[in-house]
Amino acid sequence: MDEENEVNIAICQYIYTNWVSKAKSQRDFASKCDIEESTVRKIKNIALGTVKTEYNMSIKTLAKICRKKEITLEEFFREINK
């Protein structure tokens, strides 16, 4: 597995484990973060390893999620590197 894909999986796993799985629903998480529900499904599928498709989340999407979760991108990347 290449490094870029590993980073992508780590990002999705962090978001899914810490935020999506604790939300009322995937739809609710998407709505609160101002992203598409299909994006949340992609995050979940990558995090759980249920699809072989690669999903490269945009910085814009990640920034929206982090903004709603009141965490900076710098703090986010620090967390996934732990």
Side-chain angles (χ1 to χ4, degrees):
M1 184 180 310
D2 61 54
E3 186 176 340
E4 290 174 9
N5 200 29
E6 288 178 15
V7 170
N8 187 53
I9 291 170
I11 289 169
C12 290
Q13 286 176 334
Y14 184 90
I15 292 170
Y16 179 74
T17 303
N18 292 286
W19 299 328
V20 175
S21 67
K22 296 176 183 175
K24 186 170 105 177
S25 67
Q26 289 178 189
R27 181 176 297 194
D28 183 59
F29 181 83
S31 176
K32 287 182 178 175
C33 291
D34 192 29
I35 60 175
E36 296 293 323
E37 186 178 357
S38 62
T39 299
V40 179
R41 280 194 304 274
K42 290 174 188 174
I43 292 168
K44 176 185 176 183
N45 289 333
I46 296 296
L48 299 178
T50 56
V51 293
K52 304 238 185 237
T53 308
E54 290 187 26
Y55 167 63
N56 294 312
M57 183 182 309
S58 72
I59 291 296
K60 182 178 180 179
T61 298
L62 182 55
K64 282 182 174 184
I65 294 170
C66 287
R67 194 174 312 117
K68 295 297 180 178
K69 297 314 238 171
E70 299 180 347
I71 184 173
T72 66
L73 287 171
E74 181 181 4
E75 291 167 328
F76 177 83
F77 284 110
R78 206 176 306 129
E79 285 296 315
I80 66 166
N81 280 324
K82 287 184 179 179

